[in-house]
Amino acid sequence: MGEHGVSKRSKAANREDSRPGEPAPRKAAAKKAPTEKSAAKKPAAKKATAKKAAAKKAVPKKAVPAKKAVPAKARAGGGATKPATRAKPAKPAATVRPAKPESRLAMIRRARRINRELAEVFPYAHPELDFRNPFELLVATVLSAQTTDLRVNQTTPALFAQYPTPEDLAAAVPEEVEELIRPTGFFRAKTKSIMGLAAALRDDHGGEVPGRLEDLVKLPGVGRKTAFVVLGNAFGVPGITVDTHFMRLARRWRWTESDDPVKIEAEVAEIFPKSDWTMLSHRVIFHGRRICHARKPACGACPITALCPAYGEGETDPEKARKLLKYEKGGYPGQRLNPPADYPGRPAPPAPGVAPGAVQTPSGAE
């Protein structure tokens, strides 16, 4: 309390209120500060926005080019579409040059290289019919039509045991011959052929097989293929044997486009020297029987894939292709009961029920 009965605290408060311009106490100032600041900011913010708006009006707007009309198809896709731009000229596509056709000279070189490669793969290639003389080879070749060489080799031992010469076969009873060669198929027609050629050999050639093509093709049942088999393997006269295997591979290797055996023979004869004709035939036939099959070639196990235009027609997987190999290449017996000494495979078994003594023995005539 002061002198006049008024508290010192109230006097101090009255003094503070009565002094304009002096700062308020801390607590009061803390409460009033936010409102004073916000009140001071509002007019400043309004002034700033007004200045920005005036500045925008003062700056002239850039001219915006009018958008091109968008086709109806583009508008149908929905969504915002970009303005159409001028299409850039397309770059010319890289032209793929077709492979040049193989020249004849290149084909001849490739064909001869195939022959050399097959000579290394099949150095033991030989005729796969058992025979001891030209007469037996001639009869066996006629019987081999529309059947396998193995079936013929299992049939001829009994036939030649009973009829060893042309004279004996020409004088045979047809029904007995038919029964002996029945396993080869078409036995009636084949009986007429082999008995007819036996009679022709007896009557016209003194019981001997002629060594000329023009004489052989006149015999019953003998065509050019059979004649060249006999000439090449019994007389050493070169010839090309165009059987089904040779014909198939010659076309696959593009040595020819013909399906006529006579034309194929003539075209292939122009590719290879005459001295190669007989062994070429054996090698191609060996390859066709063991590797390059008709329905499913073993491409993955073929030694001449780099030279073959038909690679890929068969099985290319090496493991699967090896299972398709036949005869000695697949580990199975060959077709001959009496193969040459250099044959690496196993001999074929005789026909069931044939006595061992009836099987032909090897001869140096081959």
Side-chain angles (χ1 to χ4, degrees), residues 101-315:
E102 187 179 39
S103 66
R104 177 165 178 79
L105 179 59
M107 183 274 290
I108 292 175
R109 288 175 176 172
R110 179 173 57 82
R112 293 183 177 183
R113 186 177 171 188
I114 287 176
N115 184 35
R116 292 194 299 270
E117 295 286 339
L118 293 182
E120 295 181 4
V121 177
F122 303 108
Y124 50 87
H126 58 273
E128 295 193 88
L129 290 169
D130 285 327
F131 68 98
R132 294 174 295 186
N133 52 58
F135 171 66
E136 290 186 354
L137 178 58
L138 177 60
V139 172
T141 305
V142 173
L143 295 178
S144 67
Q146 304 297 320
T147 189
T148 64
D149 288 354
L150 173 59
R151 181 71 67 182
V152 175
N153 292 336
Q154 292 174 333
T155 303
T156 51
L159 177 67
F160 294 140
Q162 192 163 345
Y163 309 109
T165 66
E167 292 82 2
D168 295 328
L169 184 58
V173 177
E175 289 76 14
E176 295 179 358
V177 176
E178 289 177 1
E179 193 61 30
L180 288 172
I181 67 170
R182 182 184 292 269
T184 64
F186 303 96
F187 56 91
R188 290 190 178 90
K190 289 180 180 180
T191 295
K192 291 180 181 179
S193 294
I194 62 175
M195 290 188 67
L197 69 85
L201 293 177
R202 178 195 62 191
D203 300 338
D204 302 332
H205 301 282
E208 299 291 334
V209 176
R212 298 193 312 166
L213 176 65
E214 54 269 30
D215 294 331
L216 286 170
V217 295
K218 292 178 182 178
L219 299 174
V222 178
R224 292 181 68 86
K225 184 198 83 170
T226 300
F228 280 128
V229 170
V230 175
L231 289 174
N233 298 284
F235 294 100
V237 178
I240 297 175
T241 305
V242 183
D243 70 347
T244 56
H245 302 288
F246 193 99
M247 186 184 304
R248 179 178 71 254
L249 269 61
R251 289 174 58 84
R252 279 181 178 170
W253 293 336
R254 297 180 186 172
W255 295 354
T256 178
E257 293 182 357
S258 176
D259 55 3
D260 179 18
V262 177
K263 290 182 179 179
I264 292 174
E265 176 198 326
E267 291 180 14
V268 174
E270 293 178 355
I271 299 174
F272 299 92
K274 192 172 183 179
S275 58
D276 289 349
W277 289 355
T278 299
M279 288 308 301
L280 170 71
S281 301
H282 293 327
R283 293 163 190 157
V284 173
I285 293 171
F286 257 58
H287 189 68
R289 283 175 171 170
R290 286 150 177 78
I291 299 175
C292 196
H293 314 307
R295 294 185 180 179
K296 201 169 184 180
C299 294
C302 180
I304 58 168
T305 54
L307 303 171
C308 181
Y311 174 76
E313 288 187 8
E315 181 58 64

Side-chain angles (χ1 to χ4, degrees), residues 290 322-334 343-347:
R290 286 150 177 78
R322 273 194 284 271
K323 296 179 182 179
L324 300 175
L325 300 178
K326 294 183 178 179
Y327 305 110
E328 76 280 358
K329 291 295 181 181
Y332 304 108
Y343 179 64
R346 292 178 290 161

Side-chain angles (χ1 to χ4, degrees), residues 20-78:
E22 292 185 8
R26 292 181 181 179
K27 291 184 179 180
K31 291 181 180 180
K32 292 180 181 180
T35 55
E36 290 173 359
K37 288 181 181 178
S38 60
K41 286 181 180 178
K42 284 181 181 179
K46 288 181 180 180
K47 290 179 181 180
T49 53
K51 286 181 181 180
K52 287 181 181 179
K56 286 183 179 179
K57 289 180 181 179
V59 178
K61 293 183 179 180
K62 293 182 180 180
V64 180
K67 294 182 179 179
K68 293 184 180 179
V70 181
K73 290 182 179 179
R75 290 199 301 272

